[in-house]
């Protein structure tokens, strides 16, 4: 919950970019990623947030006067999730239940970042807010969310050396079939994400009854919370050999930068604020791999082209030790 609070506070830092004199357009925020964006915090755990003075005020925002999870007055959500042929959409006024869902259209009893993010935006903004969330568990950036400008999936040096041998733990037994399957899977969830966002924006009133077509909408930000499947993939990101200068996860940094450029281009929002939630696994004592991956996730925010509108939020300080 502290991590969610830090993410939304970081996002609020972008709000002064909006001119107060402009008409109150619908503010649209896009949330995307894998299981940590889906959200597995159960409603039954809310009480524990009140045990920490740092998060107790947040708990008061999360509940209504009746003690039940608050229903936002001015925030609506469209949530695309599922898997395979089970992909589906859940919509409604924002409240608890839009976390991980076995059935995309039904309340799953869990929350993800969308709940406290939406509550905070509801309090901070006068205009209505629309959240468009797309999240699926176990999805990588190197394949599943791979953006178009990153180019086709390329074998790492380790894969080039070992995969053709078709022997060993985790190495495909049929290399040619593996290559065909990989080509078919590459970029699937990037396309699903973009197709859904564009579908919602083609008719915002379908999800958000408060939408005023005369005032229109503004894409006000994008939050990316992902990384596990890339961090643990030793085939795609092998440990560098002694003397190699290229960082282990340099390819993740390159593809994430391409992801930011592509979503901005596809949505015609060239300076859309973008928040990277940097994985905090390991807390204050990360192993070598965790530490290297954090650096790779944060790296795009330091690129000159993204100055002032991309921020990397370090969540490691909030890891429970």
């Amino acid at each position: 919950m502290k991590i969610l609070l830090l993410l939304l506070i970081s996002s609020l830092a972008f709000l002064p970019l909006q001119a107060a004199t402009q008409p109150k357009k619908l503010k649209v925020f896009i949330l995307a990623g894998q299981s940590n964006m889906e959200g597995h915090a159960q409603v039954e755990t809310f009480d524990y947030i009140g045990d920490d003075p740092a998060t107790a005020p947040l708990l008061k925002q999360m509940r209504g006067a009746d003690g039940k999870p608050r229903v936002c007055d001015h925030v609506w959500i469209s949530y695309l999730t599922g898997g395979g042929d089970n992909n589906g959409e859940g919509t409604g006024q924002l409240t608890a239940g839009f976390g991980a869902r076995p059935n995309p259209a039904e309340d799953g009893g869990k929350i993800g970042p969308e709940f406290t993010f939406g509550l905070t935006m509801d309090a901070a903004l006068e205009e209505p807010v629309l959240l468009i969330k797309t999240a699926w568990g176990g999805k990588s950036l190197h394949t599943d969310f791979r953006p178009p400008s990153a180019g086709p999936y390329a074998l790492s040096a380790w894969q080039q050396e070992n995969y053709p041998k078709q022997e060993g733990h985790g190495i495909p037994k049929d290399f040619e079939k593996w290559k065909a399957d990989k080509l078919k899977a590459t970029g699937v969830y990037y396309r699903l994400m973009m197709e859904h966002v564009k579908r919602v924006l083609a008719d915002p009133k379908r999800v958000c009854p408060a939408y005023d077509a005369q005032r229109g909408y503004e894409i006000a930000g994008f939050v990316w919370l992902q990384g596990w499947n890339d961090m643990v993939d030793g085939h795609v990101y092998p440990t560098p050999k002694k003397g190699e200068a290229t960082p282990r996860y340099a390819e993740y940094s390159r593809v994430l930068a391409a992801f930011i450029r592509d979503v901005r281009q596809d949505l015609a929002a060239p300076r859309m604020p973008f928040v990277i939630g940097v994985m905090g696994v390991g807390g204050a004592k990360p192993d070598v791999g965790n530490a290297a991956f954090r650096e790779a996730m944060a790296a795009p925010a330091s690129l000159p082209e993204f100055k002032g509108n991309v921020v990397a939020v370090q969540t490691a300080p909030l890891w429970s030790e």
Side-chain angles (χ1 to χ4, degrees):
M1 297 306 300
K2 291 180 181 178
I3 290 174
L4 304 186
L5 182 60
L6 183 60
L7 283 170
L8 61 90
I9 289 173
S10 298
S11 301
L12 280 171
F14 286 125
L15 292 180
L17 297 175
Q18 330 275 333
T21 57
Q22 292 180 343
K24 298 298 183 180
K25 297 181 178 180
L26 173 70
K27 290 293 189 291
V28 179
F29 294 93
I30 302 165
L31 315 178
Q34 58 176 122
S35 58
N36 42 4
M37 180 57 84
E38 282 186 299
H40 289 271
Q42 297 194 24
V43 173
E44 290 80 3
T45 67
F46 282 12
D47 285 341
Y48 295 97
I49 300 170
D51 293 342
D52 186 340
T55 54
L58 183 62
L59 180 58
K60 293 181 179 179
Q61 295 180 43
M62 293 167 63
R63 284 179 170 159
D66 59 1
K68 296 180 180 179
R70 188 179 300 279
V71 178
C72 285
D73 293 329
H74 308 106
V75 182
W76 286 261
I77 183 170
S78 168
Y79 176 23
L80 179 69
T81 190
D85 295 330
N86 189 42
N87 273 319
E89 180 189 26
T91 63
Q93 281 183 278
L94 182 67
T95 185
F98 285 97
R101 291 183 160 194
N103 184 330
E106 293 182 359
D107 182 341
K110 298 180 178 181
I111 67 166
E114 77 291 330
F115 185 45
T116 46
F117 182 94
L119 287 170
T120 302
M121 293 303 169
D122 195 16
L125 300 170
E126 295 179 6
E127 55 270 55
V129 172
L130 171 59
L131 306 182
I132 305 177
K133 176 178 168 180
T134 62
W136 300 267
K139 303 306 175 192
S140 68
L141 179 63
H142 64 68
T143 298
D144 302 303
F145 276 105
R146 192 177 190 86
S149 70
Y153 178 91
L155 294 169
S156 68
W158 189 93
Q159 289 172 314
Q160 293 178 43
E161 178 183 351
N162 292 279
Y163 276 23
K165 300 175 183 177
Q166 300 177 348
E167 58 184 26
H169 180 69
I171 295 176
K173 295 181 179 180
D174 186 335
F175 185 38
E176 293 306 314
K177 181 179 183 302
W178 180 88
K179 287 193 291 185
D181 290 344
K182 179 62 71 171
L183 180 62
K184 185 177 179 181
T186 298
V188 167
Y189 286 86
Y190 179 90
R191 293 190 291 274
L192 284 171
M193 173 187 72
M194 293 309 309
E195 288 167 3
H196 183 68
V197 171
K198 290 180 178 180
R199 174 179 174 245
V200 174
L201 293 180
D203 182 14
K205 203 170 186 66
R206 178 182 68 86
V207 177
C208 177
Y211 175 64
D212 184 339
Q214 290 187 333
R215 292 181 176 179
Y217 65 82
E218 174 188 356
I219 300 178
F222 192 115
V223 181
W224 176 247
L225 197 56
Q226 185 271 344
W228 177 264
N229 274 55
D230 290 85
M231 185 179 72
V232 300
D233 197 326
H235 290 192
V236 177
Y237 311 98
T239 302
K241 295 178 181 178
K242 190 174 182 180
E244 287 185 351
T246 303
R248 177 180 177 184
Y249 296 105
E251 178 66 0
Y252 185 93
S253 301
R254 184 188 75 83
V255 177
L256 181 55
F259 182 94
I260 296 170
R261 297 184 196 105
D262 284 2
V263 294
R264 286 175 163 178
Q265 178 175 311
D266 286 346
L267 296 172
R271 292 187 59 80
M272 175 184 68
F274 195 102
V275 178
I276 304 167
V278 179
M279 285 189 61
V281 175
K285 299 179 180 179
D287 62 27
V288 174
N290 290 353
F293 189 73
R294 291 179 193 173
E295 291 183 9
M297 281 200 82
S302 299
L303 294 175
E305 66 182 289
F306 296 147
K307 184 177 181 180
N309 53 43
V310 176
V311 63
V313 179
Q314 295 290 341
T315 64
L318 304 177
W319 178 265
S320 175
E321 303 293 347

